[in-house]
């Protein structure tokens, strides 16, 4: 109410209507800051008393999610071996891996953060939220793909690289597809976890980041295989 109606303070009343105090704007801001800090700690799986724990205990509380990420990254490494021939022939593909992974991770984190905050606000309408985030993801993915195509083409053309147009097409299409899928994953993952009564806040930790990396790389190399070796 303080935020919605621009009120400086609210009275605190008993059931009989007797005023026993008030909540000021500062009190509300402090409560919001504390709630935000708690949410951020939960999002990254850090305990509330993390700052007061000995370093070795803090490390142990964070280790499980990191180990999950290690295992999933091993799976990613295993899948990359199937593209050794492609990478040895078209070495330039390695240059743009960080771009694909970074952009997919960024849009996935954005969608997931907005979804988790909306879920906890109690004001979310899942179908409307999904449609809105899908549209935003499509627009951002398309724009990023077009810009990525142009930048890669210009960069490789200046360097005198052969197949500059093909590399640019691979990067542009991969950005579009990977970012759309990551955006959808960012929206659906916390909703699904909440529906099955699991901790949806765990979704934004190393687990979801690694999953996004996996799908982004698969999309990137599948599109590269299609454009370079099939067409």
């Amino acid at each position: 109410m303080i935020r919605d109606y621009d009120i400086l303070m609210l009275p605190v009343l008993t059931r009989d209507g007797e005023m026993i105090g008030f909540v000021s704007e500062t009190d509300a801001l402090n409560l919001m800051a504390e709630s935000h800090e708690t949410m951020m700690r939960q999002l990254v799986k850090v305990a509330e008393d993390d700052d007061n724990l000995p370093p070795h205990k803090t490390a142990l509380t964070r280790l499980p999610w990191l180990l999950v990420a290690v295992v999933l990254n091993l799976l990613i490494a295993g899948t990359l071996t199937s593209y050794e021939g492609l990478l040895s022939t078209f070495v330039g593909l390695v240059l743009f891996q960080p771009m694909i992974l970074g952009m997919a991770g960024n849009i996935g984190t954005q969608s997931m953060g907005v979804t988790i905050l909306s879920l906890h606000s109690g004001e979310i309408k899942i179908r409307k939220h999904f449609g809105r985030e899908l549209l935003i993801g499509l627009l951002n993915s398309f724009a990023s793909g077009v810009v990525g195509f142009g930048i890669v083409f210009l960069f490789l053309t200046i360097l005198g690289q052969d197949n500059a147009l093909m590399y640019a097409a691979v990067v542009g299409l991969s950005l579009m597809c990977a970012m759309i899928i990551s955006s959808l994953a960012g929206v659906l993952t916390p909703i699904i976890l909440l529906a099955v009564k699991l901790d949806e806040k765990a979704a934004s930790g190393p687990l979801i980041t690694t999953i996004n990396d996996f799908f982004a790389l698969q999309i990137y190399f599948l599109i590269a295989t299609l454009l370079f070796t099939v067409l």
Side-chain angles (χ1 to χ4, degrees):
M1 290 182 67
I2 289 177
R3 180 189 63 185
D4 294 339
Y5 297 101
D6 196 22
I7 300 173
L8 295 180
M9 61 180 64
L10 287 173
V12 179
L13 307 177
T14 65
R15 291 186 177 180
D16 298 327
E18 179 183 355
M19 189 175 76
I20 57 175
F22 62 88
V23 177
S24 68
E25 184 180 28
T26 301
D27 294 331
L29 288 174
N30 289 337
L31 182 60
M32 289 175 62
E34 182 180 343
S35 176
H36 178 73
E37 180 181 356
T38 300
M39 173 68 72
M40 291 302 102
R41 288 181 178 275
Q42 291 173 329
L43 287 175
V44 295
K45 306 306 293 177
V46 175
E48 292 184 7
D49 58 348
D50 189 71
D51 293 335
N52 300 320
L53 289 174
H56 68 280
K57 289 188 177 181
T58 299
L60 288 175
T61 61
R62 301 181 188 181
L63 185 60
W65 291 104
L66 297 176
L67 292 179
V68 170
V70 168
V71 173
L72 291 176
N73 275 291
L74 288 175
L75 294 177
I76 293 175
T79 62
L80 291 181
T81 59
S82 61
Y83 299 108
E84 285 183 0
L86 179 70
L87 289 172
S88 62
T89 304
F90 303 100
V91 182
L93 291 171
V94 178
L95 296 175
F96 306 107
Q97 269 186 225
M99 181 191 297
I100 305 299
L101 295 177
M103 294 300 292
N106 289 339
I107 196 171
T109 301
Q110 287 177 345
S111 297
M112 186 162 41
V114 171
T115 300
I116 291 176
L117 291 174
S118 297
L119 286 171
H120 282 266
S121 71
E123 301 175 356
I124 187 174
K125 294 181 180 179
I126 292 179
R127 182 174 297 181
K128 181 179 179 180
H129 177 79
F130 178 81
R132 173 181 168 80
E133 288 300 316
L134 175 60
L135 178 58
I136 293 172
L138 287 171
L139 292 173
N140 284 335
S141 300
F142 179 77
S144 298
V146 171
V147 172
F149 172 87
I151 290 175
V152 171
F153 180 72
L154 180 62
F155 174 71
L156 294 180
T157 300
I158 292 174
L159 293 180
Q161 173 70 44
D162 294 334
N163 296 322
L165 181 61
M166 195 67 77
Y167 276 111
V170 169
V171 172
L173 289 173
S174 297
L175 280 174
M176 290 182 189
C177 296
M179 289 177 68
I180 289 172
I181 290 178
S182 293
S183 180
L184 291 177
V187 174
L188 292 175
T189 300
I191 292 175
I192 292 172
L193 289 175
L194 182 63
V196 297
K197 302 185 184 304
L198 294 177
D199 184 5
E200 75 281 1
K201 294 178 290 297
S204 65
L207 176 63
I208 193 64
T209 302
T210 310
I211 291 175
N212 279 343
D213 288 349
F214 173 79
F215 284 107
L217 283 176
Q218 293 303 309
I219 290 169
Y220 182 45
F221 289 121
L222 284 174
I223 290 177
T225 300
L226 178 64
L227 294 185
F228 278 119
T229 65
V230 177
L231 297 183

